Amino acid sequence: MRGDLVRKLAARCLTTGLAVLAFVVLALTGATGWGLALAVAALAASAAEQRIRPSADLVAETTLIAAAILAGYSRRLDDGLNLALVATGLVLLGLVLLVGPLRTAGSLEIRTVNLPVRAWTPLIADRLGTALLGLLAALALAAALALPAGVALAASLLVGAGAGAVALDLARRRFRPRAGGGSVAAALRRYQPEFLLYFSAPPGSEYQVTMWLPYLERIGRPFLVVLREPEFLAPIAAATDAPVVYCPTLGALDEALVPSLRAAFYVNHGAKNSHCVRFTQLTHIQLHHGDSDKAPSANPVSGIFDRIFVAGQAAIDRYGRAGVQIPADKFVVVGRPQVESIEVRPEPARGLTHPTVLYTPTWTGHHADADYCSLPVAEELLHRLLERGATVILRAHPYTGQNPASARQLGRLTELLVADRARTGRQHVVGAAARELSLTECVNSSDALVSDVSGVISDFLYSGKPYAVTDMGDEGDRFVERFPLAGSGYVLRRDMSNVDEVLTALLDTDPLAEARWATRRRYLGDFPAESYAEVFLSAARRELAPAETLTASASASASA
C-alpha cells in the first residue's frame, strides 16, 4: 500500500527526470555520447516503470527520448537535413501515439490458455510498448555507431508495420465481429463444458481457485475457468488442464458462456460476480475459499446464489446469527473436501515436551471490523513458545505484504526464528519455505495451532489437535459468542496476559479435547473419512444433472 505507492512514485520521477535530462543534453549541448547514454538509461527506467505500473502513460517521456535520440543521431551523422531521419521521426511519432490505444484495445480482447485457439493480436498489442522501447534502444546504439540513417528508418518501418497489422486486426474484430462469436467461442462450443468456475479478485488471490481445482477436476465433467483479471491467467492455467479464459468485458463473457454450460461455481463474493449471476439459465453455486467465523463469511450477498455449499451446520447458523435471512433450501452441507488428506490424531495432546506449533497470523483486512491480525503482538507469543522448546511453523496470510506495517512485523518474527534456529538447531519453518508447504502439510507436521480468526482453524479442526485463537479485539466473553469456533479452543488475549495459561492448556493439559470432536462435526460435517470428499463431488454432480435425470432418479427412489 504505502510502500507500493512510494515505489510507483520513485519510478515515475526517475523515468521523467532521465527523459528530460537526456533531451536537454542532446538538444542543447555537444555531449552526444553522454546524452545517448542518458537516453538508454531513461529507456531502462521506462521499462522498469511499465513493470511496476502496467497501465503507466509514458507518451510524454517516450516522445522526449525519441526526440533526443534523433537529435543525437543527426549530430553524429553531421550531414545536415537527413530525410531518412525525418521519416524515422514521423514513424516514431505515429508509434508513440498508437502504442497506448492499441494496448488498451488489445486488453479488451478475450484471451485463453489450454484451448486450441491462436489469438496473437492481443498478445502483440500488449507488448508494443516494450517493442517501442527496444526500437529506441536500437536507434540509440545505431546513433552511437553512426550507422546510416536508412538503418534507423528500416527498423522503425518494421515495427510500424507490425503495429499497423495489429491495428487492422483489432479494428476488424471490433467493427466486423464474426457471427456467433470468434474463435474462442467456436472452440468452447466444440469442447462442450458443463460448468465453469468464475473468478474475480485482487492480485495474489489465485489460491482461492487453486484449492478447488483438484476437486472440480474430480467431478469428471468438462469445465472451464473464467477470469476477469489478466494477471491470473498464467498461474491458474499452470494449475489445471482445463481451458482458462480471460474475459475483460461483458461482451467477452457473453462469448465464453456457451449453451452447453449448466452451472457456475464461485469462490468469493467479488463485485464482478454479478456479471455472471445475470445468466439465469445457469445454476449459480457459492463455494467460498475457506470456512471461518469472520464477518465476511456471512455476507448477505450470498443470497444471490441458487446454492450455497457449506462445510457444516455451523456455517448455516453463522448467517442466522448475523441476521442474514437466506432460504434453508439454498444451503447444501458438503464438508470441506480440502481437509481429506489431513491426518487425524484422536488422542488428546498432553505433556508435549518438544512440540511443533503452527502459527498462522491473518491479514489486516480491507476494513477495521475485519482486522483480526495478531502480528503486532506476536513477538511475546513466539518468545514464550521458544522458552517451551517449541519448533514453530510461521505461515502468514498471502495478503500480509499489502500492509507495510504487517510486512515489517512479519520480518521481525522471521528474524527471531532464524536466529533461534541458528542458536538451538530447532528447524523452524519461515518465509518462502513455509509458503512452499501446503496448509495440509503444515497441519500434518504440527502438534498444535495458534491462529487468528480465519478459515485455517476450521481446516485444523479436522485433525482433532488443539488450537488457540487470538482475541485481537479484547472482547472477553463476547469473543466466543461472536466466534463460536473459539469455544473449543484456548483464547489468547491481545495483551498476552494469559499466554502461559493458554500454552499450558494447548501443549500440556488439553482440557477441551472432547469438546473439539463435537465442534468438528458441527463445522465440518459428520462424514466418513474414507469418502469425505465424495460428499462434495456427489452434490456437484447432482447440480449438473439434467432435470429429467433428477426426476427419473426421484421416481425410482419413490418406487423403491
Side-chain angles (χ1 to χ4, degrees):
M1 297 180 184
R2 189 188 309 165
D4 190 46
L5 179 62
V6 170
R7 189 165 60 252
K8 290 178 178 179
L9 183 60
R12 178 95 287 255
C13 292
L14 184 62
T15 299
T16 303
L18 286 173
V20 170
L21 187 58
F23 179 78
V24 168
V25 171
L26 283 167
L28 303 180
T29 76
T32 305
W34 283 107
L36 291 173
L38 286 170
V40 171
L43 291 171
S46 300
E49 184 175 1
Q50 280 188 341
R51 287 195 296 272
I52 297 171
R53 300 173 61 233
S55 59
D57 180 4
L58 301 177
V59 171
E61 288 78 8
T62 309
T63 302
L64 276 177
I65 296 170
I69 290 173
L70 289 177
Y73 210 142
S74 178
R75 187 176 293 117
R76 290 285 289 174
L77 293 179
D78 195 23
D79 57 357
L81 179 65
N82 189 304
L83 293 180
L85 283 183
V86 172
T88 300
L90 293 175
V91 174
L92 289 178
L93 178 61
L95 284 172
V96 168
L97 296 177
L98 274 176
V99 161
L102 289 180
R103 183 177 61 187
T104 300
S107 70
L108 298 178
E109 292 292 320
I110 193 169
R111 288 159 57 185
T112 183
V113 181
N114 298 338
L115 198 67
V117 175
R118 295 184 179 277
W120 57 270
T121 305
L123 296 176
I124 295 178
D126 190 50
R127 290 167 174 76
L128 278 176
T130 303
L132 177 58
L133 296 181
L135 171 63
L136 290 175
L139 296 186
L141 178 61
L145 298 176
L147 296 179
V151 173
L153 180 59
S156 300
L157 288 173
L158 181 63
V159 176
V166 169
L168 288 174
D169 192 57
L170 289 173
R172 179 192 62 77
R173 290 166 180 260
R174 182 62 53 84
F175 299 112
R176 296 183 60 185
R178 296 176 183 173
S183 56
V184 172
L188 287 173
R189 283 194 294 270
R190 290 191 297 271
Y191 177 66
Q192 292 284 295
E194 295 186 25
F195 68 92
L196 65 92
L197 175 64
Y198 182 94
F199 183 61
S200 174
S205 305
E206 57 268 18
Y207 71 94
Q208 298 178 5
V209 170
T210 54
M211 71 167 61
W212 280 107
L213 286 174
Y215 300 96
L216 298 180
E217 291 167 355
R218 283 167 60 178
I219 293 173
R221 310 286 179 82
F223 74 98
L224 73 147
V225 180
V226 172
L227 307 176
R228 302 306 307 282
E229 288 80 28
E231 59 267 24
F232 296 119
L233 194 58
I236 291 177
T240 182
D241 293 328
V244 181
V245 181
Y246 163 56
C247 296
T249 63
L250 293 180
L253 189 59
D254 291 342
E255 184 174 343
L257 268 63
V258 292
S260 59
L261 290 165
R262 297 195 187 107
F265 291 93
Y266 305 78
V267 295
N268 59 29
H269 289 105
K272 291 182 182 179
N273 286 354
S274 61
H275 296 175
C276 189
V277 172
R278 67 191 172 94
F279 292 91
T280 56
Q281 72 271 25
L282 302 177
T283 299
H284 300 279
I285 305 164
Q286 177 60 256
L287 299 176
H288 298 105
H289 55 273
D291 181 88
S292 78
D293 287 327
K294 284 184 176 183
S297 295
N299 195 322
V301 175
S302 295
I304 68 174
F305 300 101
D306 300 305
R307 297 284 185 274
I308 306 168
F309 280 14
V310 294
Q313 181 62 38
I316 302 174
D317 297 340
R318 189 180 299 130
Y319 283 94
R321 195 168 59 249
V324 179
Q325 301 300 316
I326 295 178
D329 60 358
K330 285 195 173 190
F331 291 103
V332 183
V333 175
V334 299
R336 172 101 171 118
Q338 288 82 0
V339 305
E340 65 173 343
S341 298
I342 290 179
E343 299 167 1
V344 178
R345 183 183 295 175
E347 69 278 0
R350 292 181 177 136
L352 299 175
T353 53
H354 296 288
T356 297
V357 177
L358 173 61
Y359 172 47
T360 57
T362 191
W363 68 304
T364 53
H366 290 299
H367 307 288
D369 65 347
D371 183 0
Y372 309 107
C373 179
S374 64
L375 285 171
V377 299
E379 283 193 57
E380 176 67 15
L381 168 65
L382 290 195
H383 279 299
R384 297 301 179 91
L385 283 171
L386 296 178
E387 289 172 4
R388 289 175 177 260
T391 298
V392 178
I393 302 173
L394 172 56
R395 191 175 192 269
H397 192 283
Y399 287 0
T400 298
Q402 294 185 10
N403 185 311
S406 294
R408 288 192 297 271
Q409 290 153 1
L410 180 60
R412 286 196 295 270
L413 299 183
T414 300
E415 292 171 2
L416 173 64
L417 293 175
V418 169
D420 185 80
R421 182 169 59 192
R423 184 173 60 255
T424 66
R426 286 194 291 256
Q427 295 303 301
H428 307 298
V429 183
V430 297
R435 295 306 317 169
E436 288 169 1
L437 295 175
S438 68
L439 179 59
T440 295
E441 290 171 324
C442 290
V443 172
N444 290 342
S445 300
S446 60
D447 300 300
L449 168 74
V450 178
S451 178
D452 303 337
V453 175
S454 77
V456 172
I457 302 174
S458 295
D459 287 1
F460 194 89
L461 178 65
Y462 189 79
S463 72
K465 293 181 283 193
Y467 57 87
V469 188
T470 60
D471 173 10
M472 292 304 294
D474 278 333
E475 298 186 66
D477 294 338
R478 189 167 175 267
F479 181 73
V480 174
E481 294 176 11
R482 290 188 62 200
F483 308 107
L485 190 54
S488 297
Y490 306 104
V491 179
L492 190 60
R493 299 189 191 111
R494 179 187 178 93
D495 61 6
M496 294 291 157
S497 59
N498 66 336
V499 62
D500 288 324
E501 172 190 335
V502 166
L503 293 183
T504 296
L506 184 71
L507 305 175
D508 189 10
T509 59
D510 195 16
L512 295 175
E514 293 302 321
R516 278 197 303 277
W517 292 103
T519 303
R520 181 180 183 266
R521 288 190 293 272
R522 196 161 65 86
Y523 272 79
L524 297 171
D526 190 13
F527 308 124
E530 61 274 11
S531 58
Y532 188 83
E534 282 298 323
V535 181
F536 163 75
L537 299 175
S538 297
R541 290 173 186 137
R542 282 196 300 273
E543 299 298 338
L544 297 175
E548 57 271 19
T549 302
L550 290 175
T551 302
S553 181
S555 300
S557 300
S559 301

